[in-house]
Amino acid sequence: MEQEQQILARITEMVEDERKLRESLASGEIDSATEHQRLGVLERELDQCWDLLRQRRAKAEFGENPDDAHVRPSSQVEGYRG
């Protein structure tokens, strides 16, 4: 369960980073190309975190060890929404 809390904390951090990026764009601190690039990285990481969390929960639900779940490549989990 501690692992899940760490994953959820990381997701919360990334959502906050996303909000800050959008604010930075709105205030003119960064340009749209920079925002787009950074958001792309964040979105891929978020997809991976949600996927890992989903894997862990599924393993626990079916009596398997959640620690056997692993981060999958972003290309495999792209677009996953938790």
Side-chain angles (χ1 to χ4, degrees), residues 17-52:
D17 288 347
E18 183 178 42
R19 184 190 62 76
K20 288 178 184 175
L21 276 173
R22 294 187 192 284
E23 286 178 0
S24 293
L25 176 65
S27 68
E29 294 174 36
I30 61 173
D31 61 24
S32 61
T34 301
E35 183 223 24
H36 183 72
Q37 185 269 330
R38 290 183 185 170
L39 281 177
V41 170
L42 275 174
E43 288 170 358
R44 286 186 294 275
E45 284 185 46
L46 274 168
D47 286 346
Q48 287 175 305
C49 284
W50 281 119
D51 177 68
L52 180 59

Side-chain angles (χ1 to χ4, degrees), residues 7-18:
I7 295 167
L8 286 169
R10 180 65 184 130
I11 288 170
T12 300
E13 287 174 17
M14 286 186 283
V15 169
E16 179 64 18
D17 288 347
E18 183 178 42

Side-chain angles (χ1 to χ4, degrees), residues 48-81:
Q48 287 175 305
C49 284
W50 281 119
D51 177 68
L52 180 59
L53 188 61
R54 184 185 55 75
Q55 284 183 65
R56 291 182 59 79
R57 288 177 175 172
K59 286 186 179 296
E61 182 179 340
F62 291 100
E64 297 177 27
N65 184 351
D67 291 335
D68 290 341
H70 61 279
V71 176
R72 294 191 277 206
S74 62
S75 60
Q76 188 174 353
V77 299
E78 190 172 348
Y80 176 77
R81 296 291 180 244

